[in-house]
Amino acid sequence: MDAITALHTRLSTPRLTDPGPSQDDLACLLRAAMRAPDHGILRPWRFVILEGDQRKLLGEIFAAAQLVDDPESEPAVLDKVRSNPLRAPTVMVVVAETDVGNRVPVVEQVMAVAAATQNMMVAAHAMGIGAMWRTGRMASHDLVKERLGFASKDEVVAYLYLGTPTGSCKALPDESYEPYLRELPNA
Ligand SMILES: Cc1cc2nc3c(=O)[nH]c(=O)nc-3n(C[C@H](O)[C@H](O)[C@H](O)COP(=O)(O)O)c2cc1C
């Protein structure tokens, strides 16, 4: 698939099954991430790749975070957060390890990591790999960051779910960009 077609046709695929991306596939995605624009060449991105039972460890971290937020959590709620990382064969946690004192603002460091994530989304699509970018409460939880080896100043930019698309895929929206164009306001 050529780059423009990939950019024009990418869709998220929430329903993912085995097999997950191979090690070569993951290397290809990570090389795409490394080509994201990066103010100051700070390389703020970190990637934690979880496959197989490692996803269950992430689920246990989520359950622990849930209990911090609500020590009275019902077992069903804990089971739900625990099982979330099992929605795809591979979960890549994409983290911005920020340099708070740097002349490059932290928001730009986080944007670079978002660009890296999008590069991987488009690359995955071009390679026939399903991908879904998720965040939610567990992306900003300090306990989750700590258990993943990061500090509260850092940002979990994405839980990137990767695998083989399953079920019916949604249709590509026929959406025009015109409504989003603006003119300079009159002086
Ligand atoms: C920063 C970010 C966080 C997101 N978090 C979630 C999420 O937690 N759950 C979810 O269902 N979609 C989330 N999305 C949106 C989906 O990944 C997806 O882009 C959206 O459903 C639109 O579908 P499409 O990518 O096929 O156009 C997030 C997107 C971004 C950019």
Side-chain angles (χ1 to χ4, degrees):
M1 189 186 293
D2 70 88
I4 296 299
T5 303
L7 286 161
H8 286 180
T9 62
R10 184 209 61 82
L11 282 172
S12 297
T13 48
R15 285 189 293 279
L16 296 163
T17 190
D18 288 321
S22 68
Q23 297 310 302
D24 283 352
D25 291 338
L26 287 169
C28 189
L29 297 180
L30 292 164
R31 286 183 63 195
M34 293 294 293
R35 288 312 318 135
D38 174 20
H39 193 175
I41 321 297
L42 298 178
R43 300 294 184 249
W45 39 69
R46 304 289 180 268
F47 310 101
V48 184
I49 299 169
L50 304 168
E51 299 168 298
D53 283 349
Q54 293 173 316
R55 298 167 304 156
K56 293 184 183 165
L57 298 177
L58 183 61
E60 292 304 329
I61 294 173
F62 286 176
Q66 173 64 34
L67 281 171
V68 167
D69 288 351
D70 178 8
E72 313 286 307
S73 295
E74 296 286 334
V77 172
L78 291 171
D79 284 349
K80 171 74 176 72
V81 293
R82 204 176 263 126
S83 67
N84 276 344
L86 305 178
R87 288 178 288 186
T90 305
V91 181
M92 186 191 294
V93 192
V94 186
V95 183
E97 195 168 67
T98 60
D99 180 352
V100 173
N102 200 281
R103 69 179 174 83
V104 176
V106 164
V107 66
E108 295 192 11
Q109 299 175 39
V110 176
M111 286 194 282
V113 180
T117 303
Q118 177 65 3
N119 273 12
M120 289 194 283
M121 297 278 297
V122 178
H125 173 59
M127 295 161 70
I129 297 166
M132 177 84 186
W133 183 337
R134 296 182 187 273
T135 48
R137 210 159 37 88
M138 294 300 156
S140 53
H141 204 292
D142 279 349
L143 181 79
V144 176
K145 294 181 193 179
E146 183 197 310
R147 296 273 177 95
L148 287 168
F150 298 92
S152 63
K153 69 170 178 61
D154 301 325
E155 299 289 341
V156 174
V157 168
Y159 292 106
L160 192 55
Y161 285 69
L162 298 163
T164 302
T166 183
S168 57
C169 287
K170 66 182 178 187
L172 197 61
D174 181 18
E175 199 180 22
S176 64
Y177 57 81
E178 282 86 353
Y180 307 101
L181 296 175
R182 294 290 183 276
E183 303 279 338
L184 268 183
N186 291 329

